[in-house]
Amino acid sequence: MKKNIHPNFHKTTITCVSCGSTFEAGSIKKDIKVDTCANCHPFYSGKQRLVQADGAVDRFNKKHGLK
């Protein structure tokens, strides 16, 4: 490998903005903020937190008078 062309790889702290949990991983960035992590994502946690009031299917059904 060529020298002095690769970025520095070090431990970084990843922070979830939604629930505030943190964990460490390796990256070239110092700190990483994510919107959703495995602790608060509905697929992994089994809990639905955010409910969309008007989905695309509901809007279509209302527009065309379907039940």
Side-chain angles (χ1 to χ4, degrees):
M1 291 191 323
K2 293 182 180 179
K3 294 185 180 200
N4 300 325
I5 64 167
H6 299 287
N8 294 330
F9 188 78
H10 52 284
K11 286 187 179 180
T12 184
T13 303
I14 301 174
T15 306
C16 178
V17 178
S18 298
C19 67
S21 66
T22 60
F23 57 94
E24 287 188 357
S27 177
I28 59 172
K29 294 184 177 185
K30 298 274 185 191
D31 293 320
I32 299 174
K33 294 184 180 180
V34 294
D35 292 331
T36 309
C37 67
N39 292 334
C40 60
H41 193 279
F43 180 78
Y44 298 111
S45 66
K47 298 177 185 176
Q48 185 70 26
R49 288 179 33 180
L50 302 174
V51 178
Q52 292 183 354
D54 235 3
V57 174
D58 292 333
R59 284 193 309 258
F60 178 84
N61 289 338
K62 286 180 184 178
K63 180 179 177 181
H64 295 290
L66 304 173
K67 288 186 177 181

